[in-house]
Amino acid sequence: MSTEKIPYKIYLSEEELPKQWYNVRADMKKKPAPMLNPGTGKPVTFDDLTPVFCDELVKQELDETTPYIDIPDEILTFYKMYRPSSLVRAYCLEKALGTPAKIYYKFEGNNTSGSHKLNSAIAQAYYAKKQGLKGVTTETGAGQWGTALSMACSYFGLDCRVYMVKVSYEQKPFRREVMRTYGASVTPSPSNTTEVGRKILAEFPDTNGSLGCAISEAVEAAVSTEGYRYVLGSVLSQVLLHQSVIGLESKAAMDKYGIKPDVIIGCAGGGSNLGGLISPFMGEKLRGEADYRIVAVEPASCPSFTRGKYAYDFCDTGKVCPLQKMYTLGSSFMPSPNHAGGLRYHGMSGILSELYDQGLMEAISYEQTQVFEAAQQFARVEGILPAPESSHAIKAAIDEAVRCRETGEEKTILFGLTGTGYFDMYAYAAYNDGTMTDYIPTDEEIAQSFAELPKL
Ligand SMILES: *Cc1c(COP(=O)(O)O)cnc(C)c1O
């Protein structure tokens, strides 16, 4: 098929939108290791999890066999307000790079929250409402998840309490105000409103906070407040399930034109956008129907895949959550204040960790100045101002396209452009002023947090 026939944007009609999510675990012969109850050391049960999470979401979390799960009508209606997201052929970037590669990106930044996180936020808010709860608690790092969840909660009339990593709370006051506009309450974390927050503050009074620490506070707030549950924006298998809508739409759009990606690239914080984007493609790979190269991209300052250990660890600094087997830097790892706040998490999705361990996907890391260089290059030709997190995937896609220029290969590259960077202008300012620095943790620092991994 000649390239001229492929439009800048490939659209899907309402009828072509996915009606079901895809659960990639169903096609994994070796499943991700079960989460463990930290008290008993045994695999968690439905009853262990329901005091913390909504019942229906626990069912989804524990379901490793059902391949397709119907998307409830109320969620489909909400999805129709901002989906399908665009699948764009990056003709202008290809031209600027002089590459024979064909570059496509799936852009999830076209909703007010500015990222893919709304895909799972609306699902989680829906199940909380359906259970008759009063509200939910959560953490937010850079603020995208908190924003998405506050939008979703206001749509369903639920209360939303957000613990926001302190450094982001201070650096991103406008994010906070968006959340408050949607009716959420926002507390900087660590805070003295929870026991775990007070403990962390006593030990590290000058801490910038971390996602792991904010999670502990949000969980404590949920279990100690009647009618509340905790919701999480990444890492969990239920979140990858909801995010599969990204991959299903991408695949449907590409199939319309007979396009098959050779390489699929996504940034990886907790793994939800990447997991969602690759799910249907990985399904084909697992069933032996097709092959794809799949690449996770992470910051060199928080390199869970590339320098982490595949081990059981706590999902949070306060060690109140179940243990998950994952690629981790250790729950006590405190990443440097890299500007890609959404990628500053010590661990990784259990599903992606298992797929990576089986050699079904690769991982690379970049330093932030390289990432911003790619972001600027992309913005100047494709027009979109990308989020720092998303720009990790841009950098990897550009590098791949440049390699194709050198080898003459006409590879098809698909990458996830997870969001926009309008709330990251301090980071862009640092890059533009030439004051941005890179920080790579030393082996000693990582060894210190490895030493605190739970001993099983
Ligand atoms: C949160 C976030 C990420 C990283 O989270 P994942 O769960 O790994 O997808 C990436 N990009 C943006 C814009 C985000 O908000």
Side-chain angles (χ1 to χ4, degrees):
M1 185 168 299
S2 83
T3 50
E4 280 73 31
K5 288 201 182 136
I6 294 168
Y8 270 82
K9 283 187 190 172
I10 305 178
Y11 290 100
L12 293 175
S13 66
E14 256 181 40
E15 294 68 50
E16 292 170 316
L17 291 182
K19 309 278 184 302
Q20 294 176 311
W21 292 303
Y22 168 62
N23 180 8
V24 71
R25 285 171 293 176
D27 283 307
M28 292 172 72
K29 278 187 206 86
K30 182 164 178 249
K31 311 282 184 198
M35 282 197 267
L36 301 182
N37 178 320
T40 63
K42 296 220 173 78
V44 290
T45 60
F46 181 80
D47 293 337
D48 286 337
L49 293 176
T50 47
V52 181
F53 298 104
C54 305
D55 296 355
E56 193 61 34
L57 292 166
V58 172
K59 272 190 212 153
Q60 293 180 355
E61 193 62 31
L62 298 175
D63 184 343
E64 6 176 78
T65 51
T66 312
Y68 289 96
I69 294 175
D70 287 341
I71 306 176
D73 282 340
E74 291 87 337
I75 300 174
L76 281 176
T77 303
F78 189 87
Y79 277 173
K80 281 178 196 166
M81 292 200 281
Y82 71 101
R83 306 202 69 82
S85 68
S86 329
L87 180 75
V88 183
R89 172 76 185 268
Y91 281 116
C92 300
L93 180 65
E94 290 170 19
K95 194 165 160 228
L97 296 172
T99 178
K102 302 175 181 71
I103 308 173
Y104 294 85
Y105 59 88
K106 180 74 169 160
F107 179 46
E108 290 292 322
N110 243 340
N111 67 77
T112 298
S113 72
S115 82
H116 66 284
K117 296 214 168 65
L118 193 55
N119 302 332
S120 183
I122 194 64
Q124 298 196 41
Y126 167 78
Y127 291 117
K129 183 70 183 179
K130 207 173 137 219
Q131 195 177 323
L133 298 174
K134 290 185 204 142
V136 292
T137 70
T138 199
E139 79 297 330
T140 197
Q144 288 98 321
W145 168 245
T147 310
L149 188 69
S150 54
M151 276 177 80
C153 285
S154 72
Y155 183 75
F156 285 122
L158 278 172
D159 184 37
C160 180
R161 301 188 185 171
V162 181
Y163 286 85
M164 185 170 188
V165 176
K166 195 161 134 201
V167 61
S168 301
Y169 183 90
E170 285 161 3
Q171 282 178 359
K172 300 187 174 184
F174 296 142
R175 268 274 176 221
R176 186 174 80 210
E177 294 317 317
V178 177
M179 288 184 255
R180 298 206 313 162
T181 302
Y182 284 109
S185 64
V186 188
T187 307
S189 167
S191 74
N192 55 23
T193 67
T194 63
E195 222 167 276
V196 62
R198 287 189 290 272
K199 204 172 133 216
I200 292 168
L201 278 175
E203 207 177 330
F204 308 100
D206 300 322
T207 178
N208 284 316
S210 70
L211 267 184
C213 161
I215 294 173
S216 308
E217 290 207 87
V219 171
E220 183 184 321
V223 297
S224 58
T225 317
E226 162 84 33
Y228 281 72
R229 292 292 185 282
Y230 166 70
V231 294
L232 180 57
S234 184
V235 186
L236 296 176
S237 301
Q238 57 185 273
V239 184
L240 269 72
L241 174 74
H242 307 145
Q243 294 297 355
S244 69
V245 71
I246 305 173
L248 292 163
E249 279 183 11
S250 303
K251 191 155 187 316
M254 291 187 124
D255 283 349
K256 271 172 90 160
Y257 288 87
I259 306 161
K260 197 178 152 298
D262 297 298
V263 193
I264 306 170
I265 299 168
C267 63
S272 74
N273 86 83
L274 177 64
L277 175 68
I278 67 172
S279 277
F281 299 99
M282 184 58 86
E284 289 188 330
K285 192 165 161 147
L286 288 163
R287 296 189 302 269
E289 297 162 8
D291 198 15
Y292 304 96
R293 232 186 97 208
I294 292 167
V295 185
V297 192
E298 56 186 17
S301 59
C302 195
S304 328
F305 269 135
T306 51
R307 293 175 69 196
K309 258 193 192 147
Y310 192 30
Y312 269 105
D313 192 10
F314 289 94
C315 298
D316 61 318
T317 318
K319 307 185 177 179
V320 296
C321 292
L323 295 167
Q324 172 144 311
K325 191 174 181 198
M326 58 184 172
Y327 276 84
T328 179
L329 295 162
S331 64
S332 62
F333 181 79
M334 285 277 179
S336 67
N338 176 293
H339 289 292
L343 305 184
R344 295 178 68 224
Y345 181 64
H346 67 273
M348 188 52 67
S349 138
I351 294 177
L352 292 191
S353 293
E354 181 54 36
L355 292 168
Y356 180 67
D357 197 59
Q358 291 180 26
L360 292 162
M361 52 183 278
E362 307 162 27
I364 51 173
S365 72
Y366 289 115
E367 290 159 39
Q368 63 176 350
T369 46
Q370 302 175 285
V371 166
F372 274 83
E373 189 185 350
Q376 188 188 66
Q377 192 177 5
F378 181 81
R380 288 182 182 181
V381 290
E382 288 289 324
I384 292 170
L385 182 83
E389 293 86 353
S390 326
S391 304
H392 287 71
I394 297 177
K395 168 68 179 155
I398 289 178
D399 280 3
E400 186 67 31
V402 168
R403 271 192 292 278
C404 289
R405 180 174 71 205
E406 282 150 16
T407 60
E409 283 172 288
E410 291 182 26
K411 279 189 196 165
T412 298
I413 301 166
L414 166 64
F415 75 89
L417 187 68
T418 50
T420 47
Y422 299 112
F423 290 106
D424 298 283
M425 297 324 288
Y426 284 117
Y428 274 94
Y431 179 72
N432 292 332
D433 291 341
T435 57
M436 181 175 278
T437 53
D438 291 321
Y439 184 77
I440 302 179
T442 62
D443 287 341
E444 290 69 38
E445 277 172 84
I446 296 181
Q448 259 176 27
S449 53
F450 280 162
E452 287 178 46
L453 284 172
K455 315 232 172 347
L456 293 172

